[in-house]
Structure formats: C-alpha cells, structure tokens
C-alpha cells in the first residue's frame, strides 16, 4: 500500500469586498484536511474564513517523492480591509453546506480503503505567504486567468438561490453583477499588467460582460477557435471540476435559456435604458432630465422651450407643491410634447424621510428694486423691471429682469408706450419713477420693460400713476408681491438651538431667542432620538456644519464649526444631515404612500428617496404589487452611506420585480453623508456597479449649476458633463437660465468624439535636424 500525502497550495488574492462574513462553510472538512483524515486522494471544497478569505480548494495527492501543489483559493482579506470596506459591497449570504464534494475519480483504486493518509503540517500564515508567492511568481498567465474564471463561476454558484428569485428579464444582468463582484474582490493588478503587455483583455472595461470576456481571453490563450460573439455560458468547458459541473447548478435550467454573449448583454444595456427612460432623440446617447416646479404653471412656454432645447424627461419633486400643481405641470408637459411631436416622460420623486428645517414666520410682502452701482455708489445701470397683468406669468426667457411687478389695471398697461413714465411712492414715502423702454406681447396680454434709476421698496397696494392729456391720470395698483423669506444668519462659533416644538414664542419665530441665540425648528422625532453629543451635523446640503453640544427631549444645541465668514443664511425647508448618527427611518412615509396613488396614475417613473436597506425595496415592491403597477419605472436614489454600501443588494432585490429599474446618483446628500473627498470615487463605483447590472444611471445634482443660475458655466462644470456623458441620463435643476443650460447640454451631448479626433491635424515633423 502506497501512502499519499495531501499537499494543499492556496492561490490567494487580496480582497476589498465590504463586510466579509468570517465563517467557514464546512469547518469539519478543513479540520479533516489539516489532521489528515481525508480518505480520498482528490477532493475539492469551498471555504470562507477571516484568514483564508473564500474560494475553491482542490486537493491532489501524489507520492511523497513527487508532491504536486494544485489548489485554489481566490480571495483573502486585505490588511486594511476595514478602512477600504466601502469600495465594494458584498453579497452577504451563507455558503451552501452541500458544496463540498469528493471526487469519485481515483487512478489508484486499490488505495480507496485508506482511512488516514500522511498529513503535511499546515501553517495558516505560510499558506497565505505561499499563496501570494505562487500567484505572483510561479503561475503563468493562462493559469491565473483560469483561476479568475473559476472564481467568478464559484461566486455565481454561491448566490444561486438569490439569482433564482430574480425576474427572468433581469436574470442575465443579475448574474453578470455577481460576476463583476467576484472580479472586484480580487487584487488583479499584476494580471492586468500581464494581459496588457500581451495585448489581450482590459479587465477595467469588461463590466457589462465579465464572464464572456474572460472566457474569450482564456480561449485565445489556449489557441482555440474563437468568435467574440459566441455564447459563453460558463459551464464546464474550461474546467472539468465536479463542484462546478452543470448538474450541480441550482439554477441551471434558467441559466441554459439565457445568452451571456457580449452582443446580447450589450443589447440588454440598451433595452433596460429604453424601457425606463424612453427612446433617445436624434444622435444623442444620453437623455436630458429637467426638474420643474410651480414656475412651469406660471410660464406658458417654459416646458415647450425646454423640449425644443433638448429635454426628454421632466422631474417633479413631491416634497414641494401639491397634486393640483403637479397635475397642471403634467398636463402642460403632455400637451407640449404632442404639439412638438417630441416624446417625454415624467419622473416623480417621493419626498422620503428627509430631515428639514421647519417653517419660519412669514416676512413682509415687500419687493426691493435696486439699480447696479459702482464702488463709489454711483448708478452704472438702472434696474430692469417687468410690468405685467395678473395671470400673465414671468417675463420671457430671453429677458433678464431684476424685479417683476404685477399691476391690476390691464388698460393702463395697454396705454403705456415707450418713453412714458410711471410715478409712485414707495414704502418709505420716497417718490420714484419707472421709465418704459420696451413693450412685449405675451400670452394672454401685454408686458412692459421699465427702468428704475433709484432704490425703491414696493409693497402690495402701491399705486402707479401715468400723467395723460388734459392733466388726467391713469392709475393701477401693484398686487401679488411675494412675502420676504425669513432666515437666521450663522457664523463660525455661533450656537444654534434646534427645537422640536414648531410653536415658538414671538421672539423665537423671528429666529432668535431672548438671549440672541439663533433658533430653528425640526418636527421629526428621528433627529432628537438619534443624535449624541460630539457628532457632526450639516445644514443646507453641507453649506453649514456644526457639532452637537447637547441634547434633550425637546432641544438640540449645535456649535457651528463651518460657515461663510460673512455669515451663512439658514431658512425654512433646508436639509439636515447627521452622517455619523445611527438614525433609523421608515422606508416610505405616510405622505409617500398618499403621493404614490397620484404618481401611479400620472407619471412614468417613481423616485425613491433615501434608500438605505433592502427592507425599503421590499416595502415598495409590496405597495406596487397591491396597486398592480408592474410597468411603473422605479428609480432608486442613492444619497446615503448605507445606500451606497448596500447597492448590489438593493439592485438584486429590485430585480425580483419586472418594473423598469434605474439608479440616480444624488450627489448632494451623498457628498455630505460620505465626505466631499470621497465623492469622485463613490460615483465611479456606482457607475461601475450599475454598468455590470445593466441598470441605467441618472447623473444628478449641481450639473451646470452656474450656467443655470447665472448664465455662464465654469470650466469644472464642463468637465463634469464630460464625465456624466457615460450615464444614461443627466439631470439639471431649475434656474433662471435653465433653457439656455439645456440647449448647451444638448450641444455637448451631440458631439461625436470620433469626429473630433478626426478633425485633429496630424503632427508634422520637420525634416531638418538642429
């Protein structure tokens, strides 16, 4: 009887997967292996532990004189794994206990009755060291690529039960997402260099079709006949391992009906995007979405102008307005779309459980008219004032006005001619003049542009007079002057009190208490129940930062640590973020459920704000199933740390339904929650994960913000759009120059990169040498 010594060699790779599960799937197998109690000369099994990581081990026994190392583990924990934990989420699921399988093949059948074979002492530290040395120095390129291939298939098998629950329309995409996560958990830096030096696969560009790309590279290295569009199902064509044999796949029947070829997966990327966002316009590869609000109901041409400029989707935020406003916006959008024959879709964001500052006392209804002055105080340009009748809306988009006045006398506006002067007395009793410079026809009436060369304060009821012939005067009263927004001004070092009680004393309603300490309100109990002294808190999308100094049942004291040197304004309805607090929100609020009824009958997509956990998706799916809304698009807004870290889990859960699915990168709250310095890496990781899942991405928050608000973009904004072109949709927020911004964005998205390269002149080298 010949004794055999099992020799285990671990091909180990470093792992950056978030939230590892330190658990061995079948501890007895590993213990038996270490103690030499394995009775078969060839066996394979999976393990996962805090030391080894996870992967497949293949044990082969050879005579003592000719030991052969042929085993695999494809991932182990990085030394700084906790610090880099957020760089890649992991599918937390116990590995199947039945995955251990002993090979029935045994060349030396006479030795099958050996109960105990000679064992080789195994040190876990030496295993990791030997694994690294072997992978980096001894293994050839083909073996390394095969190891990666096997690792990808192994992780798919571990998540077979999860994949079986996915809707058939998402099965291939969900499987490719698992393949992507398997590849991301490996440190394949050296492998990338070797592939690049041989002119082969670029592992950074295979997110959309991981398995097919790796299979193609392996086949090329094996000098096999290869077609890039051939079907790559990842069965045992490359590896004839029992554990990955087709008969052991829990989801093999469903898998056999899915084409994993590169061309097919590319088509899935396009079809998923079109199902959610609609067909693309002209030569563009990216949609343009615009956030609209009440201003769309006050301007009859705004939505039409936006569609002409290139917008293909409109977004309504349910945190603002009410069903009557939303209905009018949607009615106008659909009417404009039909008239212009330019299709558009509607996304309605549910408000979600966002923390916001409470309302403040309404300020006076006074409008300040200010001409532009130089440093010496002399007027260099008079204020431009728009005069209109009630119901006519704001001035046309091509006019830049400093103030809008609504006058209740339509006849007076029609009688005004260029050069006429209106006189009035402002709230201080100062006589002021408005000189008419232009008359502009508008929908349903007439509008006038006037100049005012001196500062004036106008309130509702102010009388405008025009002197006529025979000393007769025509008059009209100013109406609908909006209330002044109230706010508190905060500087670094100030103390701010946040009160739970919305009913403050008169002194507190003005924003300050008797001790001159600024005070605001927040009615959400989640804030007061979650924060602790020493934790950071941010206001207004991170424009103001502070630290919690003290808490009570009804109040929170905040010390302001970061604000504008001149003081930052904090008004009502501004965001509150507590990034380090363990706050627990309900997935859908009672308001969200009421708004969902409206969204279901009026919109094409629903946006889910502040998604944090799989439970939020389950609640949404239950509500959609109750209402039989299988065709309503679902957009998950990633704006929290938890939402980012659990993104693969969120996607796999959402893929259990047939609803068209998309992801919005809400970079405002995401930057506050995760840190400004990490935002660039985080948004790239989200793009990669969604690319692997074939899920369309909406690039949102502060895109071309300077252009939208001031009419002139910054250089950084242009570069941001260039990065956003990789997304399926770019979203713009509302502003004074929104139409111009949409037109600019449309032009940028139409630029053909290949055409630009072709227009570059070749470098002509001089034939003369110096």
């Amino acid at each position: 009887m010949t004794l055999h010594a099992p020799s285990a060699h671990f091909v180990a790779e470093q792992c950056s997967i978030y939230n590892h599960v330190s658990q061995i799937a079948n501890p007895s197998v590993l213990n038996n292996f270490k103690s030499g109690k394995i009775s078969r000369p060839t066996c394979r099994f999976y393990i996962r532990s805090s030391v080894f990581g996870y992967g497949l081990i293949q044990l082969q026994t050879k005579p003592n004189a000719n030991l052969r190392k042929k085993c695999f583990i494809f991932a182990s924990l990085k030394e700084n794994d906790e610090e880099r934990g957020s760089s890649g989420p992991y599918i937390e699921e116990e590995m199947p206990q039945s995955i251990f399988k002993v090979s029935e093949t045994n060349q030396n059948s006479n030795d099958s009755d050996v109960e105990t074979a000679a064992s080789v002492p195994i040190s876990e530290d030496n295993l990791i060291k030997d694994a690294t040395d072997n992978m980096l120095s001894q293994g050839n390129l083909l073996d390394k690529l095969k190891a990666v291939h096997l690792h990808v298939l192994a992780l798919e098998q571990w998540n077979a039960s999860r994949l079986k629950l996915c809707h058939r329309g998402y099965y291939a995409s969900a499987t490719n997402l698992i393949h992507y996560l398997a590849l991301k958990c490996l440190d394949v830096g050296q492998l990338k260099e070797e592939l690049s030096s041989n002119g082969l696969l670029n592992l950074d560009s295979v997110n959309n079709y991981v398995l097919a790309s790796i299979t193609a590279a392996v086949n090329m290295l094996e000098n096999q006949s290869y077609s890039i569009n051939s079907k790559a199902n990842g069965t045992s064509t490359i590896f004839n391992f029992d554990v990955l044999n087709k008969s052991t796949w829990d989801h093999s029947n469903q898998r056999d009906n899915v084409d994993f070829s590169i061309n097919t997966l590319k088509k899935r990327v396009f079809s998923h995007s079109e199902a959610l966002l609609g067909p693309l316009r002209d030569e563009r590869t990216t949609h343009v979405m615009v956030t609209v609000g009440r201003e769309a109901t006050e301007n009859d041409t705004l939505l039409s102008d936006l569609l002409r400029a290139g917008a293909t989707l409109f977004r309504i935020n349910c945190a603002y307005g009410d069903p009557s406003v939303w209905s009018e916006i949607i009615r106008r959008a659909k009417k404009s779309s039909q008239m212009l024959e330019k299709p558009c879709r509607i996304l309605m964001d549910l408000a979600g459980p966002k923390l916001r500052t409470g309302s403040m006392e309404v300020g006076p209804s006074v409008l300040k008219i200010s001409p532009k002055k130089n440093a010496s105080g002399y007027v260099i340009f008079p204020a431009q004032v728009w005069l209109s009748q009630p119901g006519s809306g704001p001035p046309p988009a091509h006019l830049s006005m400093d103030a809008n006045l609504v006058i209740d006398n339509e006849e007076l506006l029609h009688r005004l001619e260029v050069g006429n002067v209106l006189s009035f007395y402002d709230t201080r009793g100062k006589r002021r003049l408005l000189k008419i410079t232009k008359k502009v026809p508008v929908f349903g009436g007439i509008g006038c542009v006037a100049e005012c060369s001196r500062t004036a304060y106008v309130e509702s009821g102010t009388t405008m007079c025009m002197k006529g012939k025979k000393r007769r005067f025509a008059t009209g009263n100013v109406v609908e002057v909006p209330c002044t927004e109230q706010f508190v001004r905060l500087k670094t070092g100030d103390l701010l009190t946040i009160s739970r009680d919305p009913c403050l004393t008169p002194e507190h309603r003005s924003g300050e208490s008797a001790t001159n300490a600024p005070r605001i309100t927040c009615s959400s109990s989640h804030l007061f129940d979650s924060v602790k002294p020493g934790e950071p808190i941010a206001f207004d999308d991170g424009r103001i930062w502070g630290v919690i100094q003290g808490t009570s049942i009804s109040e929170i004291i905040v010390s302001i640590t970061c604000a504008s040197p001149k003081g930052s304004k904090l008004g009502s309805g501004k965001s509150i973020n507590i990034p380090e607090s363990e706050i627990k929100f309900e997935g859908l609020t009672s308001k969200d459920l009421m708004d969902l009824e409206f969204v279901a009958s009026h919109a094409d997509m629903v946006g889910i704000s502040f998604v944090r956990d799989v439970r939020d998706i389950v609640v949404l799916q239950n509500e959609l199933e109750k209402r039989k809304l299988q065709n309503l698009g679902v957009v998950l807004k990633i704006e929290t740390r938890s939402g980012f870290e659990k993104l693969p889990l969120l996607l796999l859960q959402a893929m259990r339904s047939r609803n068209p699915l998309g992801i919005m990168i809400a970079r405002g709250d995401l930057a506050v929650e995760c840190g400004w310095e990490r935002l660039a890496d985080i948004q790239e990781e989200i793009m990669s994960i969604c690319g692997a899942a074939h899920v369309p991405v909406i690039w949102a928050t502060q895109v071309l913000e300077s252009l939208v608000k001031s009419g002139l973009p910054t250089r950084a904004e242009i570069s941001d759009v260039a990065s956003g072109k990789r997304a399926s949709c770019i979203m713009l927020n509302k502003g004074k120059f929104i139409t111009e911004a949409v037109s600019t964005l449309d032009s940028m998205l139409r630029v053909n990169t290949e055409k630009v390269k072709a227009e570059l002149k070749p470098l002509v080298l001089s034939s003369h040498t110096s």
Side-chain angles (χ1 to χ4, degrees), residues 268-282 284-289 310-314 337 342-347 604-605 631-635 660-662 696-698 727-729:
R268 287 191 179 275
V269 175
F270 176 80
S271 63
H272 289 173
S273 177
E274 188 172 82
L276 179 74
L277 304 173
L280 287 162
R281 183 183 298 181
D282 303 330
R284 280 188 350 209
T285 58
T286 306
H287 286 272
V288 175
M289 179 185 294
T312 54
L313 299 105
F314 292 125
S337 175
K342 294 182 181 295
C344 74
R345 294 193 177 185
I346 304 295
L347 165 66
D604 303 290
M605 295 167 277
N631 296 321
L632 181 66
V634 174
V635 177
L661 177 64
V697 174
I698 301 173
S728 301
C729 179

Side-chain angles (χ1 to χ4, degrees), residues 416-432:
L416 289 174
E417 299 293 341
V418 174
N420 290 157
V421 175
L422 290 175
S423 65
F424 65 96
Y425 290 90
D426 71 358
T427 58
R428 304 167 299 170
K430 304 288 186 178
R431 186 171 183 266
R432 295 292 183 257

Side-chain angles (χ1 to χ4, degrees), residues 330-607:
I330 295 173
R331 185 191 68 80
R332 294 189 180 211
K334 291 183 177 180
K335 180 180 178 180
S336 299
S337 175
Q338 293 174 356
M339 290 177 58
L340 299 174
E341 296 183 350
K342 294 182 181 295
C344 74
R345 294 193 177 185
I346 304 295
L347 165 66
M348 295 191 70
D349 278 356
L350 300 180
K354 185 169 184 175
L355 298 175
R356 295 183 183 275
T357 57
S359 59
M360 295 184 176
E361 186 182 46
V362 176
S365 300
V366 177
L367 178 66
K368 182 181 179 180
I369 301 175
S370 301
K372 292 180 174 60
K373 300 180 181 180
N374 60 16
S376 301
Y378 292 99
V379 175
I380 58 175
F381 197 78
Q384 302 297 299
V385 182
W386 174 255
L387 305 177
S388 63
Q389 65 192 52
S392 61
H398 67 279
L399 297 177
S400 179
M401 299 287 102
D402 299 307
N404 299 337
L405 294 180
V406 179
I407 300 177
D408 62 359
N409 190 340
E410 183 179 353
E411 182 182 355
L412 172 63
L413 293 174
H414 281 280
R415 291 178 57 184
L416 289 174
E417 299 293 341
V418 174
N420 290 157
V421 175
L422 290 175
S423 65
F424 65 96
Y425 290 90
D426 71 358
T427 58
R428 304 167 299 170
K430 304 288 186 178
R431 186 171 183 266
R432 295 292 183 257
L433 302 177
L434 290 174
K435 183 178 180 180
I436 306 301
T437 59
K438 186 184 297 184
K439 293 190 70 174
V440 181
V442 293
F443 181 82
I446 195 75
C448 300
V449 178
E451 291 182 348
C452 184
S453 300
R454 302 183 68 181
T455 301
Y457 294 85
V458 181
E459 63 182 354
S460 294
T462 299
T463 301
M464 298 284 176
C465 299
M466 182 188 73
K467 184 179 179 180
K469 297 180 180 179
K470 299 180 180 180
R471 298 186 63 83
R472 292 181 179 178
F473 293 87
T475 62
N477 294 324
V478 176
V479 296
E480 301 179 8
V481 175
C483 298
T484 306
E485 180 183 359
Q486 295 292 85
F487 58 86
V488 296
R489 188 177 295 274
L490 301 171
K491 297 182 179 180
T492 301
D494 286 349
L495 290 179
L496 173 68
T497 300
I498 307 176
S499 175
R500 185 196 295 260
D501 187 4
C503 301
L504 300 176
T505 63
E507 295 82 9
H508 290 158
R509 290 186 190 130
S510 64
E512 295 186 356
S513 63
T515 58
N516 294 325
R519 178 181 290 262
I520 60 173
T521 64
C522 179
S523 59
S524 174
S525 61
H526 295 292
L527 176 64
F528 297 88
D529 298 338
S530 303
V531 297
K532 300 175 183 178
E535 292 180 340
I537 184 170
F539 303 93
D540 196 8
D541 291 334
R543 292 179 176 87
I544 304 171
W545 281 87
V547 175
I548 305 296
Q549 293 290 341
T551 63
S552 68
I553 297 178
S554 59
E555 288 187 347
I556 298 173
I557 306 299
V558 179
S559 175
I560 303 300
T561 58
C562 182
S564 171
K566 296 182 179 179
S568 300
K569 296 179 180 180
L570 181 60
S572 61
K574 300 301 181 182
S575 63
I576 302 176
N577 294 89
I578 43 177
E580 296 183 10
S581 300
E582 297 181 0
I583 188 169
K584 295 182 179 180
F585 287 115
E586 51 185 321
L588 294 176
T589 65
S590 56
K591 180 182 185 305
D592 292 337
L593 294 177
M594 290 189 295
D595 292 343
L596 184 59
E597 298 290 343
F598 180 91
V599 173
S601 57
H602 292 82
D604 303 290
M605 295 167 277
V606 58

Side-chain angles (χ1 to χ4, degrees), residues 16-17 86-89 180-181 184 207 644 647-648 665 679-691:
S16 61
I17 290 300
S86 61
S87 62
Y180 166 81
L181 295 176
K184 284 291 290 183
N207 296 355
F644 163 65
L647 180 57
I665 309 178
L679 179 60
D681 292 334
I682 287 175
Q683 67 187 21
E684 289 301 314
E685 184 68 16
I686 294 176
M687 289 285 293
S688 297
I689 293 173
C690 292

